[in-house]
Amino acid sequence: MIRITLLFFTFFGILTPSLSQTENLKIAVAANLLPPLRQIETLFEKETQESVTLIVASSGKLTAQIINGAPYDIFISADMKYPEKIFDEGQAQEKPQVLVRGKLYFWTADESISSIKKGLDGATAVAIAQPELAPYGFQTKVWLEKKGWWNTMQPKLVYAENVSQVNQYIATGAVDAAFTSNSAVHSEPLQGKGVWIAVSDSETLPHGIVLLRNSEASEQVVNQFLEFIISPIAQGVFQEFGYELP
């Protein structure tokens, strides 16, 4: 815990003040991280009395908005590729750091299923997030290609803009199988619904956090949140939703 805290203060301790600072903190969040970030937002606001706004979309869509000048303060991505792109484009104050690691999961409505292959064979509609915009969608594509199933799966695939939309498809019964993130397994109203299988031979996804150059929030509020999100309280929330700590 000390090592992680020191790392964040080293990289985020000196902030470039914006010309017009506000107290409302705007955090761009990858869709798979919305369930834990909602809880962390509530806990942070209760402890600090500061206001937080979560802007939720796919990591790729948020990255495009940030590069085009969106006035967000912090970006939390479902991978490191997009935060590093933001840094390379000169839109970050410091290099991004790994916050947590996530895991790809397969879901099927058929409770008799015990393997992903059987679940895919029996499904008629399989939801995945857009590979071009969402890291979990990209990882799903890579995994299916590695298995040699990508081309044969095309007639069954239903593309969602992000993981949140995948989870909506699961909740509403719009699909009978899906690939999504570990947070879905622990989220309402999906808990206990169908069968969840970890894609054990897929790599964990490092989720990056980066402080943005167009930040308009005050230095004090930004520092408070950066300190809070690596605190035992926030890290406990991430672990409750199945994320691994770096």
Side-chain angles (χ1 to χ4, degrees):
M1 187 64 64
I2 293 175
R3 183 186 65 80
I4 296 173
T5 303
L6 289 177
L7 178 66
F8 267 81
F9 277 113
T10 298
F11 283 94
F12 293 118
I14 301 174
L15 308 182
T16 302
S18 58
L19 294 177
S20 177
Q21 294 184 333
T22 65
E23 295 304 311
N24 183 46
L25 190 62
K26 297 183 180 67
I27 304 173
V29 179
N32 72 287
L33 287 164
L34 179 58
L37 258 295
R38 276 177 172 161
Q39 288 195 19
I40 291 170
E41 172 194 18
T42 300
L43 293 169
F44 175 76
E45 290 182 337
K46 183 177 180 180
E47 180 171 304
T48 66
Q49 308 303 311
E50 302 292 353
S51 176
V52 174
T53 299
L54 299 178
I55 301 93
V56 182
S58 65
S59 298
K61 186 173 183 179
L62 291 169
T63 296
Q65 293 173 359
I66 291 165
I67 290 174
N68 287 323
Y72 305 148
D73 303 298
I74 295 168
F75 175 39
I76 308 177
S77 173
D79 67 1
M80 289 298 289
K81 179 184 77 172
Y82 288 115
E84 287 169 353
K85 180 178 181 180
I86 288 170
F87 177 78
D88 292 341
E89 293 284 338
Q91 296 299 318
Q93 294 195 34
E94 298 289 350
K95 288 185 177 181
Q97 302 298 320
V98 176
L99 179 63
V100 293
R101 294 181 180 274
K103 187 70 178 175
L104 185 66
Y105 267 76
F106 174 75
W107 171 84
T108 174
D110 187 346
E111 296 188 358
S112 69
I113 295 299
S114 58
S115 72
I116 296 176
K117 183 63 167 64
K118 289 181 179 179
L120 291 175
D121 289 343
T124 58
V126 182
I128 72 169
Q130 282 285 357
E132 297 81 8
L133 297 173
Y136 280 89
F138 179 77
Q139 190 181 48
T140 299
K141 180 181 179 181
V142 169
W143 186 81
L144 289 173
E145 287 176 336
K146 191 180 299 182
K147 294 291 185 181
W149 302 339
W150 176 251
N151 291 331
T152 58
M153 284 297 300
Q154 290 305 307
K156 296 183 178 184
L157 293 183
V158 177
Y159 292 94
E161 183 175 319
N162 52 53
V163 164
S164 286
Q165 193 171 73
V166 170
N167 295 341
Q168 289 174 12
Y169 291 163
I170 294 172
T172 59
V175 296
D176 50 4
F179 287 91
T180 185
S181 73
N182 48 271
S183 61
V185 184
H186 307 278
S187 302
E188 294 289 352
L190 303 182
Q191 280 185 320
K193 184 181 181 71
V195 174
W196 298 91
I197 303 173
V199 185
S200 57
D201 55 344
S202 65
E203 295 182 0
T204 58
L205 278 164
H207 292 43
I209 182 170
V210 64
L211 176 62
L212 302 174
R213 188 165 296 281
N214 284 338
S215 174
E216 295 181 347
S218 72
E219 179 178 334
Q220 177 183 351
V221 175
V222 173
N223 273 332
Q224 282 181 311
F225 185 81
L226 291 173
E227 180 179 358
F228 188 82
I229 203 166
I230 58 170
S231 70
I233 294 174
Q235 291 191 343
V237 173
F238 282 125
Q239 288 178 307
E240 287 175 5
F241 282 90
Y243 290 95
E244 298 175 8
L245 303 181

